[in-house]
Each structure stands twice: as structure tokens, then as C-alpha cells.
Amino acid sequence: MEQIPLNIQYQESFCKEDATRTVLFGDNATDSPKFLEQILGQKIQTVMVVFTKGSERARKVAETIKLRLAKNDASNKLAFYFFGGAWPQVPEDYVEAAVLEYNRLGQPDSILTVGGGSAVGLGKAICLRCTGGEESQEPLPYLMSVVTT
């Protein structure tokens, strides 16, 4: 069987933007000025940080991001709330617990997921549930994901 050579160019890091989203890719993307600009430029005031239950690595990344943002937040009003409740396959009861926490926190204007698919999936589920579903006209919370997998 003949193998076809693939001409794949690997990019160590990149930034892609359009009208509704920005994608920063690469090691240490959260250290870039663009990352800070994207978050601080959105006038975000409250951040619910979602990560996988028991993941010390994700929590450490989240705490590092919090410190960088706090250091660069001129208004000094950015509040962070940590929720280590993501779980593989995003079980319904975990979504319900996250939604309760989101509401208890006063409905933060943004959700930052840190980790892999479980955290990202839970962040998306929170956004969808907290705006009345797919057909709702309510604005979604600003969703940011730092994927560590």
C-alpha cells in the first residue's frame, strides 16, 4: 500500500480573529498581550472559572491567569469564582450543580474554562442553560476556554 506524503505545516502558535471570536493557539498563549487584551477589553467584571473536579493542574493554570489579569486590571474590579465541578461526559447532575452555582454567584458575565473537553463542555452547557436555550435571544455570557489537553 502506497503512502501519500502529507505536506503539513506546523504552526507553533497563531491568532485567528473574526467578528465574533478570537482563537489564540500555542504554548503559553495565556501569557500573550492579546490574551489580556481580549479579556480586559470586553469590560468583563465577573469570571466563573470552570475546571475538572480534582484537577490541581487546571486550578493552578486558572490561578495564574487570575493573578495576571488582576495585575493588569486598571479598574481593579475583576472578580473570580472557582468551580471545580466538571466531569467527563458532562453528566446532567453536574450541569445542574454548575447552573446553581452560576446563579448563586449572581450570574457572572463570563465563564472561563480551563482543562480539556469536560471543562469546555460544562462551560458551554452553563451558557446554554443560563440563557433560556438555543432559541433564546438573551445574550450569552462571554465564554473563554484555555484548553490544556
Side-chain angles (χ1 to χ4, degrees):
M1 183 182 229
E2 180 184 344
Q3 283 194 326
I4 300 171
L6 299 175
N7 294 326
I8 298 174
Q9 293 183 340
Y10 175 74
Q11 287 184 290
E12 195 166 303
S13 62
F14 65 83
C15 176
K16 301 286 185 196
E17 293 182 83
D18 67 23
T20 60
R21 69 189 136 262
T22 300
V23 176
L24 298 170
F25 176 83
D27 288 341
N28 303 315
T30 58
D31 293 337
S32 75
K34 187 70 170 175
F35 180 78
L36 288 175
E37 175 188 311
Q38 284 298 307
I39 295 175
L40 296 174
Q42 297 298 323
K43 307 290 188 243
I44 291 169
Q45 294 183 6
T46 53
V47 180
M48 180 179 178
V49 182
V50 175
F51 56 93
T52 302
K53 188 174 187 170
S55 175
E56 289 303 314
R57 177 179 176 221
R59 185 175 184 95
K60 184 177 177 183
V61 169
E63 288 174 350
T64 300
I65 291 168
K66 174 187 173 183
L67 291 173
R68 277 198 75 231
L69 288 167
K71 181 180 171 184
N72 290 279
D73 178 24
S75 70
N76 202 26
K77 293 182 180 178
L78 193 58
F80 277 79
Y81 303 97
F82 290 87
F83 181 74
W87 196 252
Q89 309 308 317
V90 194
E92 183 70 27
D93 53 334
Y94 283 70
V95 173
E96 293 304 323
V99 169
L100 285 173
E101 183 66 4
Y102 177 84
N103 288 325
R104 188 189 72 75
L105 294 171
Q107 301 181 337
D109 53 5
S110 65
I111 296 171
L112 169 64
T113 66
V114 179
S118 301
V120 173
L122 183 56
K124 291 189 300 185
I126 295 166
C127 285
L128 185 63
R129 285 284 179 81
C130 293
T131 58
E134 292 180 35
E135 304 302 319
S136 174
Q137 297 300 311
E138 286 182 59
L140 292 170
Y142 192 77
L143 178 63
M144 305 167 282
S145 295
V146 175
V147 182
T148 61
T149 55

